[in-house]
Amino acid sequence: RPLIELRGITRRYANGTTALAGVDLVIGPGERVAVVGRSGSGKSTLLNVLGLLDAPDEGEVLIDGHPVEAAQDRVRAEWRSSELGFVFQRSHLIPALSVRENVLLGLRYSNASLDDADQVVTGSLRAVGLEHKEQALARTLSGGEMQRVAIARTLARPARLWLADEPTGNLDSAQSLEIIEELKRRAAERGAALVVVTHEPDVAARLDRVVTLRDGLVVADSAHATTPAHG
Ligand code: ADP
Ligand code: ADP
């Protein structure tokens, strides 16, 4: 059974922009997917819909086969906190807190057990190569370091679906590939699915499946490869 399924999703903004124009997408447990496409093609909107942060105007989102719209608020909140983990482009660390505290906060807002929180946080910081910075205040970090802390915060959460919007946007390409490999490794360990919006072909190539958006539509999906049309 799919972990999450989008059926005929349309999203129009108040100004009339159609960001998604009828998207069908099925993501299975543990799948690792890149979402690519030009700026404005609908990638961030798609990620927000997958993350239950944005409600579609038309269509249906199903989690484990259950329509999200029909679920009670409590159940939706539960899905968001227990099943989903985000890495945003702007990582929203709390500047006055230490690296360690920022990662720990991510755990508090999930329903993870806090018994082994210290170990989980340490493991996550090690995974992104920042264990030596755990006492540094977030505001003293470079952009790339902040991004890695945001990734560590997500890694610490016991989610079944990790959603990342340009998670490696501030990193050089060697670092980007390292981080993607780490996300993949961690996702595999937990059986979590991973959806990564990226404009870096090298990053997309490291994921198992590539979904291409254009003008709010899925125009290619390597999971359903077809012979490219001519012209
Ligand atoms: P940035 O390109 O600076 O990252 P964001 O995507 O964070 O901008 O958007 C900033 C705010 O503007 C958000 O509230 C977002 O929903 C909104 N926004 C983004 N694109 C548009 C647009 N084309 N028209 C109107 N609002 C937009
Ligand atoms: P991408 O992530 O591929 O750049 P987005 O999902 O951010 O694409 O945007 C898809 C389209 O919707 C773009 O035309 C963008 O300008 C528009 N858009 C995004 N957010 C808003 C918003 N809050 N209000 C109005 N238009 C928006």
Side-chain angles (χ1 to χ4, degrees), residues 13-15 17-19 37-46 165 197:
Y13 289 107
N15 65 358
T17 304
T18 300
R38 276 188 223 150
S39 178
S41 58
K43 304 183 297 296
S44 297
T45 304
L46 178 69
D165 197 348
V197 167

Side-chain angles (χ1 to χ4, degrees), residues 3-6 20 25-28 30-35 42-54 61-63 68 76 79-92 147 149-168 179-180 183-184 186-187 190-198 203 207 209 211 213:
L3 171 59
I4 191 162
E5 184 170 357
L6 305 185
L20 298 175
L25 187 64
V26 179
I27 296 173
E31 258 200 289
R32 302 181 299 190
V33 184
V35 176
K43 304 183 297 296
S44 297
T45 304
L46 178 69
L47 214 63
N48 289 341
V49 170
L50 284 171
L52 313 182
L53 297 171
D54 196 359
V61 182
L62 299 100
I63 292 187
V68 168
R76 253 183 282 190
W79 276 330
R80 261 199 298 259
S81 64
S82 66
E83 319 277 21
L84 303 170
F86 291 94
V87 186
F88 286 116
Q89 215 159 7
R90 253 174 255 133
S91 47
H92 306 299
Q147 212 159 8
V149 175
I151 291 166
R153 192 174 52 185
T154 302
L155 289 176
R157 291 170 62 92
R160 287 197 301 152
L161 175 60
W162 282 335
L163 300 166
D165 197 348
E166 300 280 3
T168 60
I179 290 285
I180 286 299
L183 274 169
K184 280 167 60 178
R186 292 295 177 119
R190 288 156 178 262
L194 180 61
V195 177
V196 179
V197 167
T198 184
V203 168
L207 293 151
R209 174 178 172 194
V211 171
L213 291 184

Side-chain angles (χ1 to χ4, degrees), residues 35-198:
V35 176
V36 304
R38 276 188 223 150
S39 178
S41 58
K43 304 183 297 296
S44 297
T45 304
L46 178 69
L47 214 63
N48 289 341
V49 170
L50 284 171
L52 313 182
L53 297 171
D54 196 359
D57 296 295
E58 286 166 36
E60 207 173 25
V61 182
L62 299 100
I63 292 187
D64 292 331
H66 304 295
V68 168
E69 201 185 357
Q72 291 172 332
D73 289 349
R74 184 182 55 77
V75 174
R76 253 183 282 190
E78 171 77 13
W79 276 330
R80 261 199 298 259
S81 64
S82 66
E83 319 277 21
L84 303 170
F86 291 94
V87 186
F88 286 116
Q89 215 159 7
R90 253 174 255 133
S91 47
H92 306 299
L93 301 182
I94 301 181
L97 293 183
S98 73
V99 162
R100 185 170 193 90
E101 287 162 338
N102 268 283
V103 176
L104 203 52
L105 264 184
L107 266 183
R108 289 198 183 282
Y109 289 110
S110 72
N111 48 6
S113 150
L114 293 178
D115 296 346
D116 57 353
D118 279 339
Q119 269 171 285
V120 170
V121 170
T122 301
S124 302
L125 285 172
R126 190 174 301 139
V128 299
L130 280 179
E131 67 271 39
H132 62 292
K133 288 267 185 175
E134 65 170 9
Q135 300 305 334
L137 296 184
R139 66 175 152 76
T140 67
L141 303 178
S142 71
E145 286 169 342
M146 287 189 197
Q147 212 159 8
R148 282 147 69 198
V149 175
I151 291 166
R153 192 174 52 185
T154 302
L155 289 176
R157 291 170 62 92
R160 287 197 301 152
L161 175 60
W162 282 335
L163 300 166
D165 197 348
E166 300 280 3
T168 60
N170 284 321
L171 306 176
D172 67 37
S173 69
Q175 268 184 332
S176 294
L177 296 182
E178 248 173 66
I179 290 285
I180 286 299
E181 289 303 325
E182 193 60 37
L183 274 169
K184 280 167 60 178
R185 188 152 50 234
R186 292 295 177 119
E189 266 170 34
R190 288 156 178 262
L194 180 61
V195 177
V196 179
V197 167
T198 184

